[in-house]
Amino acid sequence: MVVARPEWTPDSWQSKVALQQPNYRSAEALAAVVRELSSLPPLVTSWETIALKQQLADAARGQRFVLQGGDCAERFSDCSPSTITNKLKILLQMSLVLIHGCRKPVVRLGRFAGQYSKPRSDDLESRGNVTLPSYRGDNINQPGFTAAEREPDPQLLLRGYERAALTLNFIRSLVRGGFADLHHPEYWDLPFVHKSPLSAEYRAIVNRVTESLRFMENVLGVHPGEMQWVDFFTCHEALHLLYEQAQTQRVPHRTGFFNLSTHFPWIGMRTADPDGAHVEYFRGLSNPIGIKLGPSVTRDHLLRLLDILHPTDEPGRLTLIHRLGCDKITEHLPRLLDIVAGSGKRVAWICDPMHGNTRMTASGLKTRRFEEILGELEQAFDIHAVGGGSLAGVHFELTGEDVTECSGGASGVTEADLPANYRSEVDPRLNYEQALEVALLIARKMRADEKP
Ligand code: PEP
Ligand code: CO
């Protein structure tokens, strides 16, 4: 039975309960910022989002593989040339390794150019006898523990939008200028690549890919088209609904509304209530969208999300990002796959092996273990294969820097090493070497699993 839904408008979510929104002191100041945001040029175009939707439809059919990654929370201070290029470098290196592993084009979705708003488990944080609002990302307030820094400031939304534009402008220029040319992977070398125990394996893959490219071009006279240089799409958690609404608009010559602040907005696990404001907002978007699914998602919940957010089964429209945890994935993923198969709808499945594997050290640092991240991924590949489908992609929190936030991996970061260079204000990220290592290991697995 098809249930008629009330009319959707970019602000129809306002009649529902919106979780995880900051409390601003001045409604007028906030409204003025939202008006200004609405008047600024968009960051992306509808052509690009439609192109991404088509690529995600291919990924859902097993013809492409998605690499989604970046910081848990971007910081305004990350809007610097070296941080941006290092992030691109690691994503390019990983995608080269994955192309080699899965023999498919890789779609790169950067958690960047707008990943500035964070959901928090508690609205308030207490230290000693002082209680202040929690840090909710640079779009909202600042991490320092003073009343002034924790006060939500609507002007930050404008600063975030501007930084997203600056970040994207630099990324686009680098890509168009040849930085991402597959013929020149040496442009992506990071200073530590030579020291790493993984360096030889990475080099061998680089050589094989560049040789195959030359063979295709010189010997076969084939130009590998999109393979020769690669593109990036942007994504962020569309959490702050007034910010997202401000750039939600119609475009000429197309039907529907697009959120033009990013190609791929996703709904976080904490805001995926089918009756809540986030789901209402996402319902009317023409962008490809993602939903994070945790172990607590029930059959009824998932079916309602499919019904509301994926009513016409449009290819590429919906990506489900499961984040179940290394010790829970065998219990829950077959169940989720079953529910979706029973609905008859096509989705792209991505595994986020980060958010179900967060733990605290004895000294109170949030961390993740490399073995558990890899363990969840390996199980994800196997469970999808048993179900007769395939995993369409992977989702990581990572950085191109040499941080010590997750333990394990070939370079041997131990729990005792974590304080040495722990920089995240929110979730722990894979550092450059751990990110490259996880790509090498899953590429190996994909090759081994390949049917003869
Ligand atoms: C995140 O991706 O940073 C996040 C908060 O994820 P989840 O909604 O899956 O907890
Ligand atoms: Co996170």
Side-chain angles (χ1 to χ4, degrees):
M1 187 183 66
V2 178
V3 184
R5 293 188 195 287
E7 197 197 341
W8 182 92
T9 54
D11 64 357
S12 56
W13 60 268
Q14 294 189 20
S15 64
K16 309 258 180 173
V17 176
L19 299 178
Q20 300 283 345
Q21 307 301 294
N23 290 316
Y24 292 99
R25 213 180 275 269
S26 161
E28 293 75 42
L30 176 62
V33 163
V34 173
R35 268 197 307 279
E36 189 172 344
L37 277 173
S38 319
S39 71
L40 295 175
L43 302 184
V44 303
T45 66
S46 61
W47 291 285
E48 293 165 338
T49 62
I50 299 280
L52 174 62
K53 201 188 272 182
Q54 283 157 358
Q55 295 192 17
L56 291 169
D58 295 345
R61 286 191 292 269
Q63 293 160 355
R64 290 179 193 264
F65 194 73
V66 181
L67 170 62
Q68 187 175 20
D71 299 293
C72 179
E74 270 180 300
R75 303 296 316 278
F76 288 176
S77 56
D78 291 339
C79 189
S80 77
S82 64
T83 313
I84 296 169
T85 44
N86 283 355
K87 219 175 312 186
L88 288 198
K89 285 175 179 180
I90 184 60
L91 287 168
L92 284 164
Q93 292 191 0
M94 290 173 82
S95 52
L96 187 104
V97 167
L98 293 172
I99 288 170
H100 182 253
C102 66
R103 301 164 189 272
K104 293 173 195 168
V106 167
V107 184
R108 275 152 301 271
L109 257 179
R111 280 177 71 117
F112 52 49
Q115 176 56 15
Y116 293 124
S117 303
K118 297 305 301 172
R120 302 315 304 257
S121 345
D122 295 306
D123 284 343
L124 298 171
E125 180 183 344
S126 296
R127 295 191 196 171
N129 50 14
V130 181
T131 297
L132 294 173
S134 295
Y135 169 61
R136 291 188 166 274
D138 280 8
N139 254 0
I140 287 97
N141 56 4
Q142 297 166 56
F145 197 70
T146 64
E149 287 164 297
R150 291 294 174 91
E151 178 68 31
D153 175 2
Q155 284 294 322
L156 294 175
L157 295 172
L158 285 164
R159 301 293 85 76
Y161 194 71
E162 291 153 6
R163 274 171 169 72
L166 291 169
T167 303
L168 195 52
N169 180 55
F170 187 45
I171 291 171
R172 289 197 204 277
S173 312
L174 283 170
V175 170
R176 299 289 166 212
F179 179 77
D181 185 337
L182 277 178
H183 298 84
H184 292 287
E186 71 277 9
Y187 294 169
W188 322 333
D189 272 356
L190 283 151
F192 354 93
V193 80
H194 306 286
K195 289 187 280 165
S196 164
L198 311 168
S199 148
E201 188 170 351
Y202 175 65
R203 292 264 159 253
I205 291 179
V206 167
N207 290 339
R208 262 177 259 146
V209 173
T210 31
E211 257 166 42
S212 324
L213 264 181
R214 276 197 209 107
F215 180 77
M216 280 162 72
E217 290 172 352
N218 301 341
V219 182
L220 302 179
V222 175
H223 278 273
E226 68 181 87
M227 283 287 289
Q228 65 187 327
W229 57 270
V230 293
D231 227 331
F232 282 90
F233 294 100
T234 68
C235 62
H236 66 247
E237 177 173 352
L239 183 72
H240 190 302
L241 290 174
L242 282 173
Y243 177 88
E244 304 300 333
Q245 178 197 316
Q247 274 296 332
T248 303
Q249 54 201 281
R250 289 188 189 278
V251 297
H253 316 299
R254 281 194 213 282
T255 53
F257 283 82
F258 289 82
N259 178 337
L260 296 180
S261 75
T262 189
H263 300 113
F264 179 91
W266 82 80
I267 310 184
M269 190 190 68
R270 291 170 189 75
T271 48
D273 176 357
D275 296 315
H278 289 81
V279 170
E280 171 61 19
Y281 167 72
F282 272 74
R283 171 167 82 88
L285 296 181
S286 296
N287 302 58
I289 62 166
I291 315 176
K292 295 279 206 99
L293 299 178
S296 64
V297 173
T298 63
R299 176 182 194 81
D300 175 60
H301 183 172
L302 183 49
L303 287 174
R304 286 192 65 206
L305 289 174
L306 288 168
D307 191 34
I308 300 169
L309 296 171
H310 196 28
T312 61
D313 194 25
E314 183 195 5
R317 153 74 173 170
L318 187 65
T319 298
L320 296 177
I321 307 166
H322 52 81
R323 26 90 78 228
L324 299 163
C326 177
D327 56 346
K328 297 209 177 80
I329 185 168
T330 36
E331 182 188 344
H332 295 284
L333 183 55
R335 180 174 74 76
L336 299 178
L337 294 182
D338 236 43
I339 299 167
V340 175
S343 78
K345 297 209 167 139
R346 292 159 296 181
V347 305
W349 288 99
I350 290 186
C351 174
D352 164 0
M354 312 298 292
H355 288 87
N357 294 311
T358 313
R359 48 172 76 235
M360 283 293 193
T361 64
S363 60
L365 278 177
K366 234 186 188 186
T367 191
R368 293 167 174 151
R369 294 183 178 160
F370 187 87
E371 307 69 55
E372 293 183 342
I373 293 168
L374 183 65
E376 179 163 355
L377 274 172
E378 289 183 331
Q379 294 177 75
F381 278 102
D382 293 343
I383 296 169
H384 280 279
V386 167
S390 63
L391 186 62
V394 286
H395 180 123
F396 295 109
E397 289 187 339
L398 54 80
T399 164
E401 315 294 316
D402 211 3
V403 299
T404 51
E405 297 170 4
C406 296
S407 64
S411 60
V413 180
T414 65
E415 217 166 277
D417 297 328
L418 296 179
N421 199 12
Y422 194 106
R423 289 196 230 150
S424 176
E425 290 294 337
V426 271
D427 289 340
R429 301 161 294 178
L430 295 173
N431 65 22
Y432 151 73
E433 272 198 272
Q434 291 166 329
L436 183 57
E437 183 174 3
V438 88
L440 287 166
L441 294 173
I442 58 181
R444 251 191 231 166
K445 173 156 179 66
M446 289 192 279
R447 305 248 357 194
D449 289 350
E450 215 173 52
K451 309 244 164 23

mmCIF file of all heavy atoms in Angstrom, residues 72 111 118-119 237 266 268-270 292 323 355 397 427, ligand 1:
data_model
loop_
_atom_site.group_PDB
_atom_site.id
_atom_site.type_symbol
_atom_site.label_atom_id
_atom_site.label_comp_id
_atom_site.label_asym_id
_atom_site.label_seq_id
_atom_site.Cartn_x
_atom_site.Cartn_y
_atom_site.Cartn_z
ATOM 1 N N CYS A 72 37.113 12.476 11.122
ATOM 2 C CA CYS A 72 35.828 12.378 11.815
ATOM 3 C C CYS A 72 35.209 13.761 11.790
ATOM 4 O O CYS A 72 34.085 13.946 11.348
ATOM 5 C CB CYS A 72 36.045 11.914 13.250
ATOM 6 S SG CYS A 72 34.490 11.801 14.141
ATOM 7 N N ARG A 111 35.433 12.681 3.020
ATOM 8 C CA ARG A 111 34.749 13.314 4.159
ATOM 9 C C ARG A 111 35.434 14.655 4.326
ATOM 10 O O ARG A 111 36.239 14.854 5.244
ATOM 11 C CB ARG A 111 34.975 12.484 5.434
ATOM 12 C CG ARG A 111 34.108 11.248 5.614
ATOM 13 C CD ARG A 111 34.506 10.503 6.902
ATOM 14 N NE ARG A 111 34.123 11.193 8.113
ATOM 15 C CZ ARG A 111 33.268 10.741 9.029
ATOM 16 N NH1 ARG A 111 32.697 9.569 8.887
ATOM 17 N NH2 ARG A 111 33.002 11.430 10.105
ATOM 18 N N LYS A 118 29.158 17.831 14.400
ATOM 19 C CA LYS A 118 29.239 16.492 14.994
ATOM 20 C C LYS A 118 28.099 16.198 15.953
ATOM 21 O O LYS A 118 27.745 17.045 16.774
ATOM 22 C CB LYS A 118 30.552 16.355 15.788
ATOM 23 C CG LYS A 118 31.803 16.459 14.971
ATOM 24 C CD LYS A 118 31.847 15.470 13.820
ATOM 25 C CE LYS A 118 31.764 14.025 14.251
ATOM 26 N NZ LYS A 118 31.616 13.116 13.082
ATOM 27 N N PRO A 119 27.552 14.969 15.866
ATOM 28 C CA PRO A 119 26.605 14.547 16.899
ATOM 29 C C PRO A 119 27.391 14.178 18.164
ATOM 30 O O PRO A 119 28.520 13.712 18.082
ATOM 31 C CB PRO A 119 25.987 13.286 16.289
ATOM 32 C CG PRO A 119 27.049 12.721 15.399
ATOM 33 C CD PRO A 119 27.852 13.902 14.905
ATOM 34 N N GLU A 237 28.226 14.558 7.036
ATOM 35 C CA GLU A 237 26.991 14.234 7.752
ATOM 36 C C GLU A 237 26.121 15.485 7.773
ATOM 37 O O GLU A 237 26.521 16.532 8.312
ATOM 38 C CB GLU A 237 27.276 13.752 9.186
ATOM 39 C CG GLU A 237 25.967 13.487 9.925
ATOM 40 C CD GLU A 237 26.122 12.848 11.304
ATOM 41 O OE1 GLU A 237 27.234 12.454 11.678
ATOM 42 O OE2 GLU A 237 25.091 12.747 11.994
ATOM 43 N N TRP A 266 24.969 12.463 4.317
ATOM 44 C CA TRP A 266 24.489 11.229 4.953
ATOM 45 C C TRP A 266 23.818 11.531 6.283
ATOM 46 O O TRP A 266 24.045 12.569 6.886
ATOM 47 C CB TRP A 266 25.599 10.183 5.094
ATOM 48 C CG TRP A 266 26.520 10.314 6.256
ATOM 49 C CD1 TRP A 266 26.287 9.929 7.546
ATOM 50 C CD2 TRP A 266 27.858 10.857 6.237
ATOM 51 N NE1 TRP A 266 27.387 10.197 8.327
ATOM 52 C CE2 TRP A 266 28.365 10.760 7.558
ATOM 53 C CE3 TRP A 266 28.679 11.407 5.249
ATOM 54 C CZ2 TRP A 266 29.642 11.191 7.901
ATOM 55 C CZ3 TRP A 266 29.948 11.842 5.595
ATOM 56 C CH2 TRP A 266 30.412 11.737 6.906
ATOM 57 N N GLY A 268 23.437 10.425 10.084
ATOM 58 C CA GLY A 268 24.181 9.678 11.096
ATOM 59 C C GLY A 268 23.273 8.723 11.855
ATOM 60 O O GLY A 268 22.036 8.843 11.809
ATOM 61 N N MET A 269 23.916 7.802 12.569
ATOM 62 C CA MET A 269 23.143 6.786 13.272
ATOM 63 C C MET A 269 22.204 7.395 14.322
ATOM 64 O O MET A 269 21.101 6.918 14.524
ATOM 65 C CB MET A 269 24.115 5.824 13.946
ATOM 66 C CG MET A 269 23.452 4.615 14.501
ATOM 67 S SD MET A 269 24.579 3.673 15.516
ATOM 68 C CE MET A 269 24.824 4.759 16.899
ATOM 69 N N ARG A 270 22.662 8.471 14.958
ATOM 70 C CA ARG A 270 21.850 9.043 16.054
ATOM 71 C C ARG A 270 20.652 9.839 15.566
ATOM 72 O O ARG A 270 19.795 10.224 16.360
ATOM 73 C CB ARG A 270 22.723 9.956 16.921
ATOM 74 C CG ARG A 270 23.764 9.203 17.727
ATOM 75 C CD ARG A 270 24.730 10.214 18.358
ATOM 76 N NE ARG A 270 25.857 9.545 18.970
ATOM 77 C CZ ARG A 270 26.867 9.009 18.290
ATOM 78 N NH1 ARG A 270 26.872 9.043 16.956
ATOM 79 N NH2 ARG A 270 27.857 8.426 18.910
ATOM 80 N N LYS A 292 23.707 5.746 8.024
ATOM 81 C CA LYS A 292 24.525 4.881 8.873
ATOM 82 C C LYS A 292 23.600 3.937 9.638
ATOM 83 O O LYS A 292 22.601 4.379 10.214
ATOM 84 C CB LYS A 292 25.312 5.711 9.887
ATOM 85 C CG LYS A 292 26.340 6.642 9.287
ATOM 86 C CD LYS A 292 27.613 5.876 8.957
ATOM 87 C CE LYS A 292 28.795 6.797 8.981
ATOM 88 N NZ LYS A 292 29.552 6.742 10.219
ATOM 89 N N ARG A 323 27.835 -0.026 10.345
ATOM 90 C CA ARG A 323 28.933 0.205 11.298
ATOM 91 C C ARG A 323 28.551 -0.572 12.541
ATOM 92 O O ARG A 323 27.970 -0.093 13.487
ATOM 93 C CB ARG A 323 29.154 1.709 11.562
ATOM 94 C CG ARG A 323 27.969 2.603 11.374
ATOM 95 C CD ARG A 323 27.165 2.765 12.618
ATOM 96 N NE ARG A 323 27.719 3.682 13.579
ATOM 97 C CZ ARG A 323 27.851 3.405 14.859
ATOM 98 N NH1 ARG A 323 27.418 2.237 15.341
ATOM 99 N NH2 ARG A 323 28.345 4.278 15.704
ATOM 100 N N HIS A 355 33.231 3.004 13.447
ATOM 101 C CA HIS A 355 32.378 3.497 14.533
ATOM 102 C C HIS A 355 31.819 2.428 15.457
ATOM 103 O O HIS A 355 31.335 2.745 16.541
ATOM 104 C CB HIS A 355 31.272 4.397 13.966
ATOM 105 C CG HIS A 355 31.837 5.711 13.508
ATOM 106 N ND1 HIS A 355 32.352 5.879 12.241
ATOM 107 C CD2 HIS A 355 32.038 6.875 14.163
ATOM 108 C CE1 HIS A 355 32.823 7.109 12.133
ATOM 109 N NE2 HIS A 355 32.643 7.732 13.290
ATOM 110 N N GLU A 397 37.761 6.662 8.876
ATOM 111 C CA GLU A 397 38.226 7.931 9.411
ATOM 112 C C GLU A 397 39.740 7.875 9.372
ATOM 113 O O GLU A 397 40.351 6.991 10.002
ATOM 114 C CB GLU A 397 37.677 8.140 10.828
ATOM 115 C CG GLU A 397 36.184 8.422 10.743
ATOM 116 C CD GLU A 397 35.502 8.824 12.019
ATOM 117 O OE1 GLU A 397 36.033 8.539 13.113
ATOM 118 O OE2 GLU A 397 34.410 9.404 11.936
ATOM 119 N N ASP A 427 36.648 11.518 17.070
ATOM 120 C CA ASP A 427 37.017 10.111 16.957
ATOM 121 C C ASP A 427 38.457 9.916 16.456
ATOM 122 O O ASP A 427 38.979 10.720 15.697
ATOM 123 C CB ASP A 427 36.077 9.412 15.969
ATOM 124 C CG ASP A 427 34.673 9.255 16.534
ATOM 125 O OD1 ASP A 427 34.524 9.334 17.767
ATOM 126 O OD2 ASP A 427 33.749 9.055 15.735
HETATM 127 C C1 PEP B 1 30.733 9.682 12.102
HETATM 128 O O1 PEP B 1 30.717 9.192 10.959
HETATM 129 O O2 PEP B 1 31.642 10.436 12.523
HETATM 130 C C2 PEP B 1 29.644 9.297 13.037
HETATM 131 C C3 PEP B 1 29.301 10.066 14.056
HETATM 132 O O3 PEP B 1 29.131 8.108 12.744
HETATM 133 P P1 PEP B 1 27.847 7.315 13.296
HETATM 134 O O4 PEP B 1 26.673 8.178 12.938
HETATM 135 O O5 PEP B 1 27.939 6.060 12.495
HETATM 136 O O6 PEP B 1 28.061 7.119 14.752
#
